[in-house]
Amino acid sequence: MSNIKVGIIGLGRLGKVHAGNLAFRVPNCELYAACSMVEAELEYAKKELGVTKTYANYDEMVKDPELDAIFIVSPSGLHCEQIQKAMENGKHVFSEKPIGLDVAEIEKTMAVIDAHPEQIFMLGFMRRYDADYQYAKEMVEKGELGELTVVRCYGIDPSDGMESFVKFAGASNSGGLFADMSIHDIDLVRWFTNQEVKKVWALGKNAAYKQLDEVGELETGAAMLQMADKTMGILVAGRNCHHGYHVETELIGTKGMLRIAQVPEKNLVTIMNEHGVVRPTSQNFPERFSQAFVNETAEFINCIKEKRQPGVNANDGLQSTKVAIACQKSYEEDELVSLSD
Ligand code: NAI
C-alpha cells in the first residue's frame, strides 16, 4: 500500500503540531491537503509543509478523491459534523478531543461511524500514547498497585497562554474547563480503572483572570468522581500555572502508589544559582506531549494500513463528554450529579 494521503482541517495552536508531524515525522503518510478559514495558515501549509492542495471549504476537501484520511483539529463544536461528512465520503478519520459537546450529536455521529466499519476512526486522547502513561498502565494491569482506590489528576495550562486562550474561547465554544481540559483526565481515570463514572461533584473559582467571567470560562476547577466500583477520581484543572504546563497523575492502590510527572520536569538538567536549586519545567502541551502526538498519529496510520481499529474509540469520546457535561452541570447548579448508564 502506498503512503496514506491525509487532509487536515484546522491549523491553529494544535493543528500546526499535527500538521508538522504528518508532513515530516510520521512514516507511511503524506500531508496532501489542508483546510482553514485563515489565508495565512493555508500559505504556511503550502510553503512550510509542502501540501499539494489547500481548501477554504471543508465540504470540498472531504470530496477530494485523492485523500484517504481526514485529520480534524478544528474547534470542538465542529468535530461531530466534520466526522460525519468525512465518514460519509469514505475517509478514515482522526478527530481531536472532545469528540463533541452535545450527547445527542455524538450519538448520531457514532451511528455514522458504526455504519462504516471498514473505515478507521480514532480520537485524540494522546496521553494514552505517552511512554510514561503506558508504563504506568502496564504496572496497573500487572497488579503492581493492587486494587486501585484513588486516581488524582492535575491538568493546569500555563498562565502565559491566557491571552491566546481568551481569543480561542471568544471565537468558539471550548465546552468549558471540564470538556476542554479535564476531559483528558476523565479519560485517564476511565482507562486506568476500566470503570465508568457514576457520580460527580465539581467546583470552580475565577480569581486572577476575571476576564474569563466574560467568556463564561473557569480559571480553576476541581471535581470528584465516583466510579462504578467506588474507586475515587480527584481532578484539578486550570489555566493559571505560573511555572509552565502542569500535568501530574497519581494512582493509589491497595498494594502501592505511583506518580507520573509529580514535578513537571522539562529534562534532566538541574541549575544551581542565586535562586537555589532549579529544575526547569515543561512549558506547554506541544512540548510535554511532543512524542505522544507523534505516537498517536503513527498508530492512526498503522491502523489504516493494517485494517484494525485503534484502542481509543468513539465510545471513549461519548463517555468522557458525558462526564465533562455532568461536571459542568454540577459546578453551575452546585449539586452532586449522577450519570445514568
Ligand atoms: P485554534 O483556535 O488555535 O485553531 C482552530 C483552527 O480551526 C484554525 O486554524 C481555524 O482557522 C480553523 N477553523 C475554525 N473554523 C473553521 C471552519 N469552519 N472551517 C475550516 N477551518 C476552521 O484551536 P486549537 O487550540 O488548535 O484547538 C483545536 C482543537 O484541538 C480543539 O477541539 C481542542 O479541544 C483540541 N486541542 C487538543 C489538545 C490536546 O491536548 N489533545 C490541545 C489543544 C487543543
Side-chain angles (χ1 to χ4, degrees):
M1 198 184 193
S2 53
N3 275 350
I4 305 296
K5 286 189 177 173
V6 182
I8 193 166
I9 172 151
L11 288 166
R13 293 185 309 167
L14 179 57
K16 285 199 176 74
V17 175
H18 280 312
N21 290 341
L22 286 160
F24 306 121
R25 285 172 213 100
V26 174
N28 303 318
C29 69
E30 175 189 342
L31 183 63
Y32 178 80
C35 174
S36 166
M37 291 164 81
V38 181
E39 184 52 38
E41 291 178 353
L42 296 179
E43 277 304 304
Y44 166 85
K46 264 193 251 169
K47 288 209 179 98
E48 306 295 327
L49 307 173
V51 305
T52 306
K53 282 196 192 157
T54 55
Y55 290 92
N57 184 321
Y58 179 70
D59 291 6
E60 284 172 20
M61 184 171 83
V62 283
K63 291 199 175 83
D64 188 329
E66 285 294 317
L67 287 174
D68 301 301
I70 299 289
F71 226 82
I72 299 173
V73 204
S74 57
S76 306
L78 303 178
H79 296 175
C80 277
E81 193 190 334
Q82 292 173 346
I83 293 166
Q84 291 173 34
K85 284 182 177 166
M87 279 277 156
E88 281 160 353
N89 279 282
K91 313 298 184 197
H92 304 289
V93 181
F94 176 98
S95 170
E96 254 314 320
K97 48 57 61 175
I99 189 169
L101 301 174
D102 176 81
V103 170
E105 216 188 335
I106 299 171
E107 284 171 342
K108 192 174 156 209
T109 306
M110 281 174 76
V112 175
I113 294 170
D114 290 347
H116 298 87
E118 306 294 308
Q119 289 158 240
I120 304 304
F121 176 79
M122 181 169 176
L123 190 66
F125 282 132
M126 81 295 182
R127 290 191 198 169
R128 293 198 196 191
Y129 295 90
D130 173 83
D132 299 326
Y133 280 93
Q134 287 187 331
Y135 185 83
K137 173 74 172 166
E138 219 178 291
M139 294 290 107
V140 172
E141 295 295 322
K142 277 191 195 154
E144 298 283 333
L145 303 186
E147 185 179 334
L148 289 181
T149 51
V150 176
V151 182
R152 176 182 65 85
C153 308
Y154 285 2
I156 313 176
D157 262 353
S159 26
D160 68 10
M162 188 58 77
E163 197 183 321
S164 98
F165 173 72
V166 171
K167 210 168 107 199
F168 164 80
S172 64
N173 179 10
S174 77
L177 185 72
F178 301 106
D180 189 36
M181 299 275 303
S182 303
I183 200 131
H184 283 296
D185 290 323
I186 293 166
D187 181 61
L188 286 181
V189 178
R190 292 183 60 250
W191 187 54
F192 278 122
T193 61
N194 298 311
Q195 296 283 318
E196 295 299 347
V197 177
K198 290 294 162 197
K199 275 185 199 154
V200 308
W201 183 45
L203 305 164
K205 179 173 177 178
N206 286 355
Y209 295 92
K210 297 288 183 189
Q211 63 266 48
L212 288 176
D213 290 335
E214 284 155 34
V215 284
E217 289 281 351
L218 264 179
E219 180 184 308
T220 306
M224 290 197 78
L225 316 179
Q226 185 185 54
M227 310 306 284
D229 71 347
K230 302 268 194 306
T231 304
M232 293 158 271
I234 302 171
L235 316 183
V236 175
R239 309 194 184 279
N240 186 24
C241 179
H242 283 271
H243 57 270
Y245 177 61
H246 195 118
V247 170
E248 174 189 351
T249 308
E250 178 177 67
L251 304 170
I252 303 179
T254 51
K255 287 202 217 156
M257 53 199 275
L258 69 74
R259 289 183 185 157
I260 306 158
Q262 171 177 4
V263 174
E265 289 160 352
K266 184 186 184 78
N267 51 37
L268 296 177
V269 175
T270 301
I271 304 157
M272 284 150 276
N273 60 17
E274 73 273 24
H275 301 298
V277 179
V278 180
R279 299 295 324 276
T281 48
S282 56
Q283 293 301 298
N284 46 51
F285 65 80
E287 180 190 43
R288 167 64 180 89
F289 289 108
S290 162
Q291 191 56 44
F293 285 122
V294 174
N295 295 349
E296 70 172 356
T297 303
E299 171 66 357
F300 175 61
I301 298 297
N302 286 340
C303 283
I304 295 173
K305 290 192 91 78
E306 294 161 16
K307 299 190 186 345
R308 60 178 170 86
Q309 294 291 343
V312 193
N313 59 29
N315 185 51
D316 294 312
L318 174 69
Q319 299 307 331
S320 54
T321 294
K322 275 188 180 174
V323 177
I325 290 172
C327 289
Q328 190 69 29
K329 180 172 157 58
S330 172
Y331 158 66
E332 284 171 9
E333 298 181 6
D334 194 18
E335 62 179 26
L336 189 76
V337 173
S338 295
L339 283 102
S340 52
D341 292 320

